[in-house]
Amino acid sequence: MTNTGNITRPPKAMIEALKEIGAATVAGTLGHMGYRNPHMVGPVAQNRGRSIVGPALTLQFLPQRPDLFSEGEYADPETQLHRHVLYHAQEGDVVVVDARGDMSSGVFGDMMSTYFKGRGGAGIVIDGCMRDRPNVEKLDLPLWLRGWTPNYHVQTSIYPNAVNVPIACGGVTVIPGDIIVADDDGVVVLPVAMAQAVIDEAQKHHEWEEFSRIKLMEGAPLQRYYPLHPDANGEYEAWKKANGKS
């Protein structure tokens, strides 16, 4: 089993800027930049209306194999590797778990989640399940999961193998320190190297979309206002000036 240590976190100003941008806009912008599918398929929002942005701490599970894993090793809690990803947690971090889409293993439960929230963690994303749903829901900790189970994490067929290594979660590669953007639309993985370009493009997109939404609500032609036709640029610039956005 592997525990590679801490991650490199992106600048806080970058995280704050991304909080103004939804997962759909990030995904669409990345798509135009050549990253076609940054969206995790499988984990879905468990707390409607919540959104998070933060760097990824990663946890990898593998299928159990008798020569590599024995539950008897867990007599010492500190050999439970899934605890160790939480030990790295700082305020604003997101724990991302490749649980192989397993629906019978509860990766974390009530007490682990309480500890993570107490550390200031932003949220948890699991390609798999959690347990202790009634108590975990009381924490109001933002979660994106496949579902819930009463089983504990190594009760059936998988075991934690590595902390803060590259993983696949929901069909997307996640590198420790990648920026996770998650809301009701789902979870998007944003490489730090692409983040500033996404912010710059998304801010421009947000402004003209705000103008276009107003025009469309007035019954104006879709062909002219979405996407914004070059012939409407004069109107858009006048709207920006009138609303102090220029």
Side-chain angles (χ1 to χ4, degrees):
M1 296 188 288
T2 305
N3 185 352
T4 65
N6 218 333
I7 63 170
T8 300
R9 292 171 174 81
K12 289 188 177 180
M14 181 176 285
I15 297 295
E16 291 303 314
L18 286 164
K19 287 181 179 178
E20 303 300 317
I21 305 169
T25 299
V26 172
T29 304
L30 284 171
H32 293 306
M33 295 169 66
Y35 186 174
R36 292 296 181 188
N37 189 19
H39 166 237
M40 294 183 188
V41 177
V44 296
Q46 303 295 306
N47 328 59
R48 290 188 61 82
R50 301 298 300 275
S51 61
I52 60 170
V53 179
L57 300 168
T58 65
L59 174 63
Q60 177 202 59
F61 277 76
L62 291 179
Q64 289 186 18
R65 210 174 83 174
D67 61 323
L68 298 176
F69 171 79
S70 166
E71 191 171 351
E73 298 169 5
Y74 274 36
D76 176 4
E78 289 311 306
T79 63
Q80 299 177 13
L81 197 61
H82 71 318
R83 301 168 65 96
H84 288 259
V85 70
L86 304 180
Y87 295 162
H88 293 292
Q90 296 182 14
E91 184 175 358
D93 287 349
V94 181
V95 167
V96 182
V97 185
D98 171 15
R100 304 185 57 79
D102 188 278
M103 298 301 292
S104 61
S105 300
V107 173
F108 301 119
D110 173 16
M111 303 305 287
M112 299 276 194
S113 301
T114 299
Y115 172 76
F116 179 66
K117 182 164 184 177
R119 299 274 292 181
I124 297 173
V125 177
I126 304 177
D127 190 6
C129 296
M130 286 181 58
R131 65 195 297 252
D132 298 333
R133 183 173 188 171
N135 287 336
V136 171
E137 287 185 339
K138 292 175 186 176
L139 293 173
D140 196 30
L141 178 67
L143 305 172
W144 286 259
L145 316 170
R146 280 186 180 264
W148 299 84
T149 176
N151 294 343
Y152 58 87
H153 70 302
V154 294
Q155 186 167 334
T156 56
S157 57
I158 60 175
Y159 77 102
N161 177 71
V163 169
N164 287 340
V165 297
I167 62 172
C169 189
V172 181
T173 297
V174 184
I175 306 299
D178 276 349
I179 300 171
I180 302 300
V181 181
D183 56 26
D184 285 346
D185 275 338
V187 183
V188 172
V189 180
L190 173 57
V192 175
M194 303 176 80
Q196 191 57 54
V198 167
I199 291 167
D200 294 343
E201 186 60 33
Q203 286 174 340
K204 288 186 284 185
H205 183 90
H206 175 75
E207 280 197 356
W208 71 254
E209 228 182 37
E210 183 181 353
F211 166 72
S212 293
R213 188 176 290 107
I214 292 169
K215 301 302 292 184
L216 294 175
M217 186 59 74
E218 293 171 352
L222 185 65
Q223 299 94 323
R224 181 176 178 81
Y225 293 104
Y226 191 78
L228 190 65
H229 194 278
D231 289 350
N233 277 336
E235 290 179 66
Y236 171 51
E237 293 300 328
W239 173 83
K240 285 205 303 181
K241 186 174 183 180
N243 287 275
K245 295 180 180 292
S246 55

